[in-house]
Amino acid sequence: MRLSGKLVENFIEGRHLELETREGSYVVLPANPQVAQELERHLGQEAILEGTIFHEPNIYMRGPLFRVQALWPREILD
């Protein structure tokens, strides 16, 4: 699944990244270290993320978890 929005940093229940979309926010979890680096590099920017949504309890309690497999700056796919 692909979601588009702004990557933001949040410190509630520990530092983590979230994707703010029109539908709401998702807690972003990288699938591997390379994706983690790309997420950090695009922090504060609009991006398109590809991954899987999980609706399960988590320590952040900020919405669904989104395990990211790949991402692109938004302007690439516009």
Coordinates of all heavy atoms in Angstrom, one line a residue:
M1 N 0.8 -1.2 0.0 CA 0.0 0.0 0.0 C 0.9 1.2 0.0 O 2.0 1.2 0.6 CB -0.9 -0.1 1.2 CG -1.3 1.3 1.8 SD -2.5 1.1 3.1 CE -3.9 1.6 2.1
R2 N 0.4 2.3 -0.7 CA 1.2 3.5 -0.7 C 0.4 4.6 0.0 O -0.8 4.7 -0.2 CB 1.5 4.0 -2.1 CG 2.5 3.2 -2.8 CD 2.9 3.7 -4.1 NE 4.0 2.9 -4.7 CZ 4.4 3.1 -5.9 NH1 4.0 4.0 -6.7 NH2 5.4 2.3 -6.4
L3 N 1.1 5.4 0.8 CA 0.5 6.5 1.5 C 1.4 7.8 1.2 O 2.6 7.7 1.1 CB 0.5 6.3 3.0 CG -0.4 5.2 3.6 CD1 -0.2 5.0 5.1 CD2 -1.9 5.4 3.2
S4 N 0.7 8.9 1.2 CA 1.4 10.1 0.9 C 1.1 11.1 2.0 O 0.0 11.2 2.5 CB 1.0 10.6 -0.5 OG 0.7 11.9 -0.5
G5 N 2.1 11.8 2.5 CA 1.9 12.8 3.5 C 3.3 13.4 3.9 O 4.3 13.3 3.2
K6 N 3.3 14.1 5.1 CA 4.5 14.7 5.6 C 5.1 13.9 6.7 O 4.4 13.5 7.6 CB 4.1 16.1 6.1 CG 5.3 16.9 6.6 CD 4.9 18.3 7.0 CE 6.1 19.1 7.4 NZ 5.8 20.5 7.7
L7 N 6.4 13.6 6.6 CA 7.1 12.9 7.7 C 7.4 13.9 8.8 O 8.1 14.9 8.5 CB 8.4 12.3 7.1 CG 8.3 11.0 6.4 CD1 9.6 10.7 5.7 CD2 7.9 9.9 7.4
V8 N 7.0 13.6 10.0 CA 7.3 14.4 11.1 C 7.8 13.6 12.3 O 7.7 12.4 12.4 CB 6.0 15.2 11.6 CG1 5.5 16.1 10.5 CG2 4.9 14.2 12.0
E9 N 8.5 14.3 13.2 CA 9.1 13.7 14.4 C 8.2 13.9 15.5 O 7.6 15.0 15.7 CB 10.4 14.4 14.6 CG 11.3 13.8 15.6 CD 12.7 14.6 15.6 OE1 12.7 15.8 15.4 OE2 13.6 13.9 15.9
N10 N 8.0 12.9 16.4 CA 7.1 13.0 17.6 C 7.9 12.4 18.8 O 8.6 11.4 18.6 CB 5.8 12.2 17.3 CG 4.8 12.6 18.3 OD1 5.0 12.4 19.5 ND2 3.6 13.0 17.9
F11 N 7.7 13.0 19.9 CA 8.4 12.6 21.1 C 7.5 12.0 22.2 O 7.9 11.7 23.3 CB 9.2 13.7 21.7 CG 10.3 14.1 20.8 CD1 10.2 15.1 19.9 CD2 11.6 13.5 20.9 CE1 11.2 15.5 19.1 CE2 12.6 13.8 20.1 CZ 12.5 14.8 19.2
I12 N 6.2 11.8 21.9 CA 5.3 11.2 22.8 C 5.6 9.7 23.0 O 5.7 9.0 22.0 CB 3.8 11.4 22.4 CG1 3.4 12.9 22.4 CG2 2.8 10.6 23.3 CD1 2.1 13.2 21.8
E13 N 5.8 9.3 24.2 CA 6.2 7.9 24.5 C 7.5 7.5 23.8 O 7.7 6.3 23.3 CB 5.1 6.9 24.1 CG 3.8 7.1 24.9 CD 4.0 6.9 26.4 OE1 4.9 6.1 26.8 OE2 3.3 7.5 27.1
G14 N 8.4 8.4 23.6 CA 9.7 8.1 23.0 C 9.8 8.6 21.5 O 8.7 8.7 20.9
R15 N 10.9 9.0 21.1 CA 11.1 9.6 19.7 C 10.7 8.5 18.7 O 11.1 7.4 18.7 CB 12.5 10.0 19.5 CG 12.7 10.6 18.1 CD 14.1 10.9 17.8 NE 14.3 11.6 16.5 CZ 14.3 11.0 15.3 NH1 14.3 9.6 15.3 NH2 14.5 11.7 14.2
H16 N 9.9 9.0 17.7 CA 9.5 8.1 16.6 C 9.1 9.1 15.5 O 8.9 10.3 15.7 CB 8.4 7.1 17.0 CG 7.1 7.8 17.4 ND1 6.9 8.3 18.6 CD2 6.0 8.0 16.7 CE1 5.7 8.8 18.7 NE2 5.1 8.7 17.5
L17 N 8.9 8.5 14.3 CA 8.5 9.3 13.1 C 7.0 8.9 12.9 O 6.6 7.8 13.1 CB 9.3 8.9 11.9 CG 10.8 9.2 12.0 CD1 11.5 8.9 10.7 CD2 11.1 10.7 12.5
E18 N 6.3 9.9 12.3 CA 4.9 9.7 11.9 C 4.7 10.3 10.5 O 5.4 11.2 10.1 CB 4.0 10.4 12.9 CG 4.0 9.8 14.3 CD 3.0 10.5 15.2 OE1 2.2 11.4 14.7 OE2 2.9 10.2 16.4
L19 N 3.8 9.7 9.8 CA 3.4 10.2 8.5 C 2.0 10.9 8.7 O 1.0 10.2 9.1 CB 3.3 9.1 7.5 CG 2.9 9.6 6.1 CD1 4.1 10.4 5.5 CD2 2.6 8.4 5.2
E20 N 1.9 12.2 8.5 CA 0.7 12.9 8.6 C 0.0 12.9 7.2 O 0.6 13.5 6.3 CB 0.9 14.3 9.1 CG 1.4 14.4 10.5 CD 1.7 15.9 10.9 OE1 1.8 16.8 10.1 OE2 1.8 16.1 12.2
T21 N -1.2 12.3 7.2 CA -1.9 12.2 5.9 C -3.2 13.0 6.1 O -3.6 13.3 7.2 CB -2.1 10.8 5.5 OG1 -3.1 10.2 6.3 CG2 -0.9 10.0 5.5
R22 N -4.0 13.1 5.0 CA -5.3 13.6 5.1 C -6.3 12.8 5.9 O -7.2 13.3 6.5 CB -5.9 13.8 3.7 CG -5.3 14.8 2.9 CD -6.0 14.9 1.5 NE -5.2 15.8 0.7 CZ -5.3 15.8 -0.6 NH1 -6.1 15.0 -1.3 NH2 -4.6 16.7 -1.3
E23 N -6.0 11.5 6.0 CA -6.8 10.5 6.7 C -6.5 10.4 8.2 O -7.2 9.8 8.9 CB -6.8 9.2 6.0 CG -7.3 9.1 4.6 CD -6.4 9.6 3.6 OE1 -5.2 9.5 3.8 OE2 -6.9 10.1 2.6
G24 N -5.3 10.9 8.5 CA -4.8 10.8 9.9 C -3.3 10.5 9.9 O -2.7 10.5 8.9
S25 N -2.8 10.2 11.1 CA -1.4 10.0 11.3 C -1.1 8.5 11.5 O -1.9 7.7 12.0 CB -0.9 10.7 12.5 OG -0.9 12.1 12.3
Y26 N 0.0 8.1 11.0 CA 0.5 6.7 11.1 C 1.9 6.7 11.8 O 2.7 7.6 11.4 CB 0.7 6.1 9.7 CG -0.6 5.9 9.0 CD1 -1.2 7.0 8.3 CD2 -1.4 4.7 9.1 CE1 -2.4 6.8 7.6 CE2 -2.6 4.6 8.4 CZ -3.1 5.7 7.7 OH -4.3 5.5 7.0
V27 N 2.1 5.8 12.7 CA 3.5 5.6 13.3 C 4.3 4.9 12.2 O 3.9 3.8 11.8 CB 3.4 4.8 14.6 CG1 4.8 4.5 15.1 CG2 2.6 5.6 15.6
V28 N 5.4 5.5 11.9 CA 6.3 4.9 10.8 C 7.4 4.0 11.4 O 8.1 4.5 12.3 CB 6.9 6.1 10.0 CG1 7.9 5.5 9.0 CG2 5.8 6.9 9.3
L29 N 7.4 2.8 10.9 CA 8.5 1.9 11.4 C 9.2 1.4 10.1 O 8.6 0.9 9.2 CB 7.9 0.7 12.1 CG 7.0 0.9 13.3 CD1 6.4 -0.4 13.8 CD2 7.8 1.6 14.4
P30 N 10.5 1.6 10.1 CA 11.3 1.2 8.9 C 11.5 -0.3 8.9 O 11.6 -1.0 9.9 CB 12.7 1.9 9.1 CG 12.8 2.1 10.6 CD 11.4 2.3 11.1
A31 N 11.4 -0.9 7.7 CA 11.6 -2.3 7.5 C 13.0 -2.8 7.6 O 13.3 -3.9 7.9 CB 11.0 -2.8 6.2
N32 N 14.0 -1.8 7.4 CA 15.4 -2.2 7.4 C 16.2 -0.9 7.7 O 15.7 0.2 7.6 CB 15.8 -2.9 6.2 CG 15.6 -2.1 4.9 OD1 16.1 -1.0 4.8 ND2 14.8 -2.6 4.0
P33 N 17.5 -1.0 8.0 CA 18.3 0.2 8.2 C 18.4 1.2 7.1 O 18.5 2.4 7.3 CB 19.7 -0.4 8.6 CG 19.4 -1.8 9.0 CD 18.2 -2.3 8.2
Q34 N 18.4 0.7 5.9 CA 18.5 1.6 4.7 C 17.2 2.5 4.7 O 17.3 3.7 4.4 CB 18.6 0.8 3.4 CG 20.0 0.1 3.3 CD 20.0 -1.2 4.1 OE1 19.0 -1.8 4.4 NE2 21.3 -1.7 4.3
V35 N 16.1 1.9 4.9 CA 14.8 2.7 4.9 C 14.9 3.7 6.1 O 14.4 4.8 5.9 CB 13.6 1.7 5.0 CG1 12.3 2.5 5.2 CG2 13.5 0.9 3.7
A36 N 15.4 3.2 7.2 CA 15.5 4.1 8.4 C 16.3 5.4 8.0 O 15.9 6.5 8.4 CB 16.1 3.4 9.6
Q37 N 17.4 5.2 7.3 CA 18.2 6.3 6.9 C 17.5 7.3 5.9 O 17.6 8.5 6.0 CB 19.5 5.8 6.2 CG 20.5 5.2 7.2 CD 21.7 4.6 6.4 OE1 21.7 4.5 5.2 NE2 22.7 4.3 7.2
E38 N 16.7 6.7 5.0 CA 16.0 7.5 4.0 C 14.9 8.3 4.8 O 14.6 9.4 4.4 CB 15.4 6.6 2.9 CG 16.4 6.1 1.9 CD 17.0 7.3 1.1 OE1 16.2 8.0 0.6 OE2 18.2 7.4 1.1
L39 N 14.2 7.6 5.7 CA 13.2 8.3 6.5 C 13.8 9.5 7.2 O 13.2 10.6 7.2 CB 12.5 7.4 7.5 CG 11.6 6.3 6.9 CD1 11.3 5.2 7.9 CD2 10.3 6.9 6.3
E40 N 14.9 9.3 7.8 CA 15.5 10.5 8.6 C 15.9 11.6 7.6 O 15.8 12.7 7.9 CB 16.8 10.0 9.3 CG 16.5 9.1 10.5 CD 15.8 9.8 11.6 OE1 15.9 11.0 11.8 OE2 15.1 9.1 12.5
R41 N 16.4 11.2 6.4 CA 16.8 12.2 5.4 C 15.7 13.0 4.9 O 15.8 14.2 4.5 CB 17.5 11.4 4.3 CG 18.5 12.2 3.5 CD 19.3 11.3 2.6 NE 18.5 10.7 1.6 CZ 18.5 11.0 0.3 NH1 19.4 11.9 -0.2 NH2 17.7 10.4 -0.6
H42 N 14.5 12.4 4.9 CA 13.3 13.1 4.4 C 12.4 13.7 5.5 O 11.3 14.1 5.2 CB 12.5 12.2 3.5 CG 13.2 11.9 2.2 ND1 14.1 10.9 2.0 CD2 13.2 12.6 1.0 CE1 14.6 10.9 0.8 NE2 14.1 11.9 0.2
L43 N 12.9 13.7 6.7 CA 12.1 14.3 7.8 C 11.7 15.7 7.5 O 12.5 16.5 7.1 CB 13.0 14.2 9.1 CG 12.3 14.5 10.4 CD1 11.1 13.6 10.6 CD2 13.3 14.4 11.5
G44 N 10.4 16.0 7.8 CA 9.9 17.4 7.6 C 9.5 17.6 6.1 O 9.0 18.7 5.8
Q45 N 9.6 16.6 5.3 CA 9.2 16.8 3.9 C 8.0 15.9 3.5 O 7.6 15.0 4.2 CB 10.4 16.3 3.0 CG 11.6 17.1 3.2 CD 12.8 16.6 2.4 OE1 12.6 15.9 1.4 NE2 14.0 16.8 2.8
E46 N 7.4 16.3 2.4 CA 6.3 15.4 1.8 C 6.9 14.2 1.2 O 8.0 14.4 0.5 CB 5.5 16.2 0.8 CG 4.7 17.4 1.4 CD 3.5 17.0 2.1 OE1 2.9 16.0 1.8 OE2 3.2 17.7 3.1
A47 N 6.4 13.1 1.4 CA 6.9 11.9 0.8 C 5.8 10.9 0.5 O 4.7 11.0 1.0 CB 7.9 11.2 1.7
I48 N 6.1 9.9 -0.3 CA 5.2 8.8 -0.6 C 5.9 7.5 0.0 O 7.1 7.2 -0.4 CB 4.9 8.6 -2.1 CG1 4.2 9.9 -2.6 CG2 4.1 7.4 -2.4 CD1 4.1 10.0 -4.1
L49 N 5.2 6.8 0.8 CA 5.8 5.6 1.5 C 5.0 4.4 1.1 O 3.8 4.5 0.9 CB 5.6 5.8 3.0 CG 6.7 6.7 3.7 CD1 6.7 8.1 3.2 CD2 6.4 6.6 5.2
E50 N 5.7 3.3 0.9 CA 5.1 2.1 0.5 C 5.4 1.1 1.6 O 6.5 0.9 2.1 CB 5.7 1.6 -0.8 CG 5.1 0.3 -1.3 CD 5.6 -0.1 -2.7 OE1 6.6 -0.8 -2.8 OE2 4.9 0.4 -3.7
G51 N 4.3 0.4 2.0 CA 4.5 -0.6 3.1 C 3.2 -1.2 3.5 O 2.3 -1.3 2.7
T52 N 3.1 -1.7 4.8 CA 2.0 -2.4 5.3 C 1.5 -1.8 6.6 O 2.3 -1.4 7.4 CB 2.4 -3.9 5.6 OG1 3.0 -4.4 4.4 CG2 1.2 -4.7 6.0
I53 N 0.2 -1.6 6.7 CA -0.5 -1.1 7.9 C -0.8 -2.2 8.8 O -1.3 -3.2 8.4 CB -1.7 -0.3 7.5 CG1 -1.4 0.9 6.6 CG2 -2.5 0.1 8.8 CD1 -2.6 1.7 6.1
F54 N -0.5 -2.0 10.1 CA -0.8 -2.9 11.2 C -1.7 -2.2 12.2 O -1.3 -1.1 12.6 CB 0.4 -3.4 11.9 CG 1.3 -4.2 11.0 CD1 2.4 -3.6 10.3 CD2 1.1 -5.6 10.9 CE1 3.2 -4.4 9.4 CE2 2.0 -6.3 10.0 CZ 3.0 -5.7 9.3
H55 N -2.8 -2.8 12.6 CA -3.6 -2.3 13.7 C -3.4 -3.2 14.9 O -4.2 -4.1 15.1 CB -5.1 -2.2 13.2 CG -5.4 -1.3 12.1 ND1 -5.5 0.0 12.2 CD2 -5.5 -1.6 10.8 CE1 -5.8 0.6 11.1 NE2 -5.7 -0.4 10.2
E56 N -2.4 -2.9 15.7 CA -2.2 -3.6 16.9 C -1.6 -2.7 18.0 O -1.2 -1.6 17.7 CB -1.2 -4.8 16.6 CG 0.1 -4.3 16.0 CD 1.0 -5.4 15.5 OE1 0.5 -6.3 14.8 OE2 2.2 -5.4 15.8
P57 N -1.7 -3.1 19.2 CA -1.3 -2.3 20.3 C 0.2 -2.0 20.1 O 1.0 -2.9 19.6 CB -1.5 -3.2 21.5 CG -2.5 -4.2 21.1 CD -2.3 -4.4 19.7
N58 N 0.6 -0.8 20.5 CA 2.0 -0.4 20.5 C 2.3 0.6 21.6 O 1.4 1.2 22.1 CB 2.4 0.1 19.1 CG 1.6 1.3 18.7 OD1 2.0 2.4 19.1 ND2 0.6 1.2 17.9
I59 N 3.6 0.9 21.9 CA 3.9 1.8 22.9 C 3.6 3.2 22.6 O 3.4 4.0 23.5 CB 5.4 1.7 23.3 CG1 6.3 2.1 22.2 CG2 5.7 0.3 23.8 CD1 7.7 2.3 22.6
Y60 N 3.4 3.6 21.3 CA 3.2 5.0 21.0 C 1.7 5.4 21.1 O 1.4 6.5 21.4 CB 3.7 5.2 19.5 CG 5.1 4.8 19.4 CD1 5.4 3.7 18.6 CD2 6.1 5.5 20.0 CE1 6.7 3.3 18.4 CE2 7.4 5.1 19.8 CZ 7.7 4.0 19.1 OH 9.0 3.6 18.9
M61 N 0.8 4.5 20.9 CA -0.6 4.8 21.1 C -1.0 6.0 20.3 O -1.7 6.9 20.8 CB -1.0 4.9 22.6 CG -0.7 3.6 23.3 SD -0.9 3.7 25.1 CE -2.5 4.4 25.3
R62 N -0.5 6.1 19.1 CA -0.7 7.3 18.2 C -1.4 7.0 16.9 O -1.5 7.8 16.0 CB 0.6 8.0 17.9 CG 1.4 8.4 19.1 CD 1.0 9.7 19.6 NE 1.1 10.7 18.5 CZ 0.5 11.8 18.5 NH1 -0.4 12.1 19.4 NH2 0.6 12.7 17.5
G63 N -1.9 5.8 16.8 CA -2.6 5.4 15.5 C -2.0 4.1 15.0 O -1.1 3.5 15.6
P64 N -2.4 3.7 13.8 CA -1.9 2.5 13.2 C -0.4 2.6 12.9 O 0.2 3.6 12.7 CB -2.7 2.4 11.9 CG -3.6 3.5 11.8 CD -3.3 4.4 12.9
L65 N 0.2 1.4 12.9 CA 1.6 1.3 12.6 C 1.8 1.1 11.1 O 0.9 0.4 10.5 CB 2.3 0.1 13.3 CG 2.2 0.0 14.8 CD1 2.7 -1.3 15.3 CD2 3.0 1.2 15.4
F66 N 2.8 1.7 10.5 CA 3.0 1.6 9.0 C 4.4 1.1 8.8 O 5.4 1.9 9.1 CB 2.7 2.9 8.3 CG 2.7 2.8 6.8 CD1 1.8 1.9 6.2 CD2 3.6 3.6 6.1 CE1 1.8 1.8 4.8 CE2 3.6 3.5 4.7 CZ 2.7 2.6 4.0
R67 N 4.6 -0.1 8.5 CA 6.0 -0.7 8.3 C 6.4 -0.3 6.9 O 5.8 -0.8 5.9 CB 6.0 -2.2 8.5 CG 7.2 -2.9 8.1 CD 8.2 -3.3 9.1 NE 7.6 -3.8 10.3 CZ 8.2 -3.6 11.5 NH1 9.3 -2.8 11.6 NH2 7.7 -4.0 12.6
V68 N 7.4 0.5 6.7 CA 7.8 1.1 5.4 C 8.9 0.2 4.8 O 9.9 0.0 5.4 CB 8.3 2.5 5.6 CG1 8.7 3.1 4.3 CG2 7.2 3.4 6.3
Q69 N 8.6 -0.1 3.5 CA 9.5 -0.9 2.7 C 10.3 0.0 1.8 O 11.4 -0.3 1.4 CB 8.8 -1.9 1.9 CG 8.0 -2.9 2.7 CD 8.9 -3.9 3.4 OE1 10.0 -4.2 2.9 NE2 8.4 -4.4 4.5
A70 N 9.7 1.1 1.3 CA 10.3 2.0 0.4 C 9.7 3.4 0.5 O 8.6 3.5 1.0 CB 10.1 1.5 -1.1
L71 N 10.4 4.4 0.1 CA 9.9 5.8 0.0 C 10.5 6.6 -1.1 O 11.6 6.3 -1.6 CB 10.1 6.5 1.4 CG 11.5 6.9 1.7 CD1 11.5 8.3 2.3 CD2 12.0 5.9 2.7
W72 N 9.7 7.6 -1.5 CA 10.1 8.5 -2.5 C 9.7 9.9 -2.1 O 8.7 10.1 -1.6 CB 9.4 8.2 -3.8 CG 9.7 6.8 -4.3 CD1 10.7 6.4 -5.1 CD2 8.9 5.7 -4.0 NE1 10.6 5.0 -5.3 CE2 9.5 4.6 -4.6 CE3 7.7 5.5 -3.2 CZ2 8.9 3.3 -4.5 CZ3 7.2 4.2 -3.1 CH2 7.8 3.1 -3.8
P73 N 10.6 10.9 -2.5 CA 10.1 12.3 -2.3 C 8.9 12.5 -3.1 O 8.8 12.0 -4.2 CB 11.3 13.2 -2.8 CG 12.5 12.2 -2.8 CD 11.9 10.9 -3.0
R74 N 7.9 13.3 -2.6 CA 6.6 13.4 -3.3 C 6.8 14.0 -4.7 O 6.1 13.5 -5.7 CB 5.7 14.3 -2.5 CG 4.4 14.4 -3.1 CD 3.4 15.1 -2.2 NE 2.2 15.2 -3.0 CZ 1.0 14.7 -2.5 NH1 1.0 14.1 -1.4 NH2 0.0 14.8 -3.2
E75 N 7.7 14.9 -5.0 CA 7.8 15.5 -6.3 C 8.2 14.5 -7.4 O 7.9 14.7 -8.6 CB 8.8 16.7 -6.3 CG 10.2 16.3 -6.0 CD 10.6 16.4 -4.5 OE1 9.7 16.6 -3.7 OE2 11.7 16.2 -4.2
I76 N 8.8 13.4 -7.0 CA 9.2 12.4 -8.0 C 8.0 11.7 -8.7 O 8.0 11.5 -9.9 CB 10.1 11.3 -7.4 CG1 11.5 11.8 -7.1 CG2 10.2 10.0 -8.3 CD1 12.4 10.9 -6.4
L77 N 6.9 11.5 -7.9 CA 5.8 10.8 -8.5 C 4.6 11.7 -8.8 O 3.6 11.3 -9.3 CB 5.3 9.7 -7.5 CG 6.3 8.6 -7.2 CD1 5.7 7.7 -6.1 CD2 6.6 7.9 -8.4
D78 N 4.8 13.0 -8.6 CA 3.7 14.0 -9.0 C 3.7 14.2 -10.5 O 4.6 14.0 -11.2 CB 3.9 15.3 -8.3 CG 3.4 15.3 -6.8 OD1 2.7 14.3 -6.5 OD2 3.7 16.2 -6.1

